[in-house]
Amino acid sequence: MARPAGDGSRPGRALLLLLTLVLAMGGTMALQRAYLPLFGLDLAGGTTVTLSPVTATGQAPTRESLDLAVAIIRDRVNGGGLSDAEVARSGDTIVVSVPGAGQEEVVELVGTTAELRFRQVLAMATGGSPAADQPAGTDLGGVDEAVIERFRELDCAAKDRGQDAQSDPGEQIAACSRDGATRYILDKAVVGGTEIGDAHVGVDPTTGEWLVQLELKGTGPRKWGEITTAAYNSPPPRNRIAAVLDGLVVSAPIIHEPITGGRARISGGFSQESANELANQLKYGALPLRFERSSIEEISSTLGRDQLTGGVIAGGIGLALVVLYSLLYYRGLGVVAVLSLGVAAVVTYQSVVVLGHDAGFRLSLPHIVGLIVSIGVTADSFIIYFERIRDEMREGRRPLRSAVEVAWARARRTILIADAVMFIAAAVLYYIAVGGVAGFAFAMGLTTLIDIVVVFLFTRPLVALLARTRFFAKGHRLSGLDGERMSRRTPSRAETVPEDA
């Protein structure tokens, strides 16, 4: 009899690829010194900030403005949907709960309005203290007298030096630098935060300084070209463009040439963390209201270790039942299923840890539930493959090595379709839901992808290698492929069809 067509497959390559993947993720964990997953609010606690809106008229804010503020803050603290942060409106206040973060980080992230405007510099003076005279050598022609008076009285060394101030974009203003070392008179705003299409972090290749790179949209590119052209053709200090964030000048670089193409960048002594924070604030938009922090408090876990232990025990019981069923029903093949589940557990744990430290993923009880449910889903893929092998041997009287290849060709399509349906359902649920439901959906989607990786790179090649051994090829009664187990009826001793010599 001719060798099966699939005998030329190289299962060792698939196993080597899986080993490389596991070692790469393990190496990533070692480099980051991250060996444990991050936990969510219900398991680890965090920080809660209560924000009270402040309006110019002193009246209560509209429901629409509060809802918009909730949406923007939710994007800031949970932009990828993985951090398990909670944002809710309580009457006229907004309550933000972020797991595992310090008070300072949370306050800076959620409380800042993030109102960005670009203005041309009309005058500037070093030193943050008020001065009775105007800056030497500065032409104040065209500057409103009230703004000049405000500039002279401006005390940038004070604690309250204009931060969080809501200014009219159509008026000239006097403002301090963020470090309080410089005072500015700035022209009317030309480009605003609503014209920012995207914001991301970069590094200046010359200085190595962290900066925020902006991509403008709509009329932003045209306006940016006009304001940079005007600054380029003006004498100092009017050859500078100031980036004003929440009333403070973040940076005011000299414009060396007109800038077209709709790209801008903000520098200002950022660290990587502060640059990422500003990029996220600008990316998701400015808050429609100014907020005061009415309370900041640390909160303990809402569920705690008992629930985490209960979840682990439930997962262990489910895994033990799957293992017991696999060994009793599939015997030798059941060992393959158990090993596959073990590999899936390792890859899942590595994924959770790496995602936690690289993408802010935090493990909460809904995630754990999703991971437990996935045990049955993963085992289902093995069962489909094993039953296909048995069908091929029963109906076609194929030798094992040939049955393994033919069964895989048929089972593969079923496994992919089933996992595709599961992944699509998880993706839809993730995008339309929030909170714990979204967390459950993410865990289901993640384990569905891991199921495909394990079945293709471990289960199938391992079965192909075992089919070459005498124990399985000759149909040992403990292999799970003996004639009795497959309900074959023969006049003599039931056995698997032997391989060709």
Side-chain angles (χ1 to χ4, degrees), residues 191-442:
V191 179
T194 57
E195 290 159 316
I196 296 176
D198 191 20
H200 55 275
V201 174
V203 177
D204 190 314
T206 304
T207 63
E209 179 185 18
W210 288 98
L211 48 84
V212 178
Q213 297 173 324
L214 307 178
E215 295 182 8
L216 304 178
K217 64 180 180 179
T219 60
R222 177 182 58 80
K223 293 179 179 179
W224 183 244
E226 292 174 354
I227 190 176
T228 55
T229 300
Y232 173 69
N233 294 320
S234 300
R238 300 194 178 196
N239 60 343
R240 295 174 179 267
I241 299 295
V244 185
L245 180 68
D246 291 340
L248 296 179
V249 176
V250 178
S251 63
I254 297 174
I255 303 300
H256 296 285
E257 60 181 353
I259 303 174
T260 59
R263 294 181 181 271
R265 68 182 193 177
I266 304 173
S267 59
F270 295 118
S271 64
Q272 182 179 7
E273 292 75 17
S274 61
N276 274 311
E277 177 184 304
L278 177 58
N280 284 332
Q281 290 172 341
L282 298 179
K283 183 188 303 181
Y284 297 119
L287 294 177
L289 299 167
R290 186 168 68 89
F291 288 92
E292 291 182 346
R293 295 104 188 186
S294 56
S295 68
I296 306 171
E297 59 183 3
E298 296 291 331
I299 57 173
S300 60
S301 57
T302 56
L303 295 177
R305 292 294 174 183
D306 291 342
Q307 282 70 18
L308 177 60
T309 302
V312 173
I313 292 176
I317 293 175
L319 181 61
L321 291 176
V322 172
V323 168
L324 182 62
Y325 170 81
S326 299
L327 293 177
L328 291 177
Y329 190 76
Y330 288 105
R331 299 188 180 183
L333 287 179
V335 175
V336 177
V338 173
L339 292 176
S340 298
L341 287 172
V343 172
V346 171
V347 176
T348 300
Y349 184 82
Q350 290 181 322
S351 300
V352 168
V353 173
V354 171
L355 284 173
H357 288 267
D358 289 343
F361 174 70
R362 290 184 175 271
L363 199 63
S364 62
L365 196 60
H367 294 115
I368 295 176
V369 173
L371 296 177
I372 293 174
V373 172
S374 69
I375 295 175
V377 176
T378 303
D380 188 55
S381 298
F382 311 149
I383 293 174
I384 292 173
Y385 184 29
F386 296 161
E387 289 300 323
R388 279 292 187 182
I389 295 174
R390 287 183 168 186
D391 289 343
E392 292 299 324
M393 295 180 64
R394 273 198 299 261
E395 299 174 6
R397 296 188 58 81
R398 299 177 185 272
L400 180 58
R401 292 172 70 175
S402 178
V404 164
E405 299 299 331
V406 175
W408 172 248
R410 296 181 177 179
R412 176 178 56 199
R413 179 172 55 188
T414 305
I415 293 172
L416 286 176
I417 292 175
D419 282 341
V421 171
M422 181 67 69
F423 184 80
I424 291 173
V428 171
L429 189 60
Y430 174 77
Y431 281 108
I432 65 175
V434 295
V437 178
F440 172 83
F442 179 83

Side-chain angles (χ1 to χ4, degrees), residues 165-191:
Q166 294 180 320
S167 59
D168 187 341
E171 296 181 355
Q172 298 174 345
I173 64 170
C176 297
S177 62
R178 190 170 59 169
D179 59 5
T182 309
R183 294 175 294 139
Y184 295 91
I185 294 179
L186 305 175
D187 203 357
K188 300 175 182 178
V190 177
V191 179

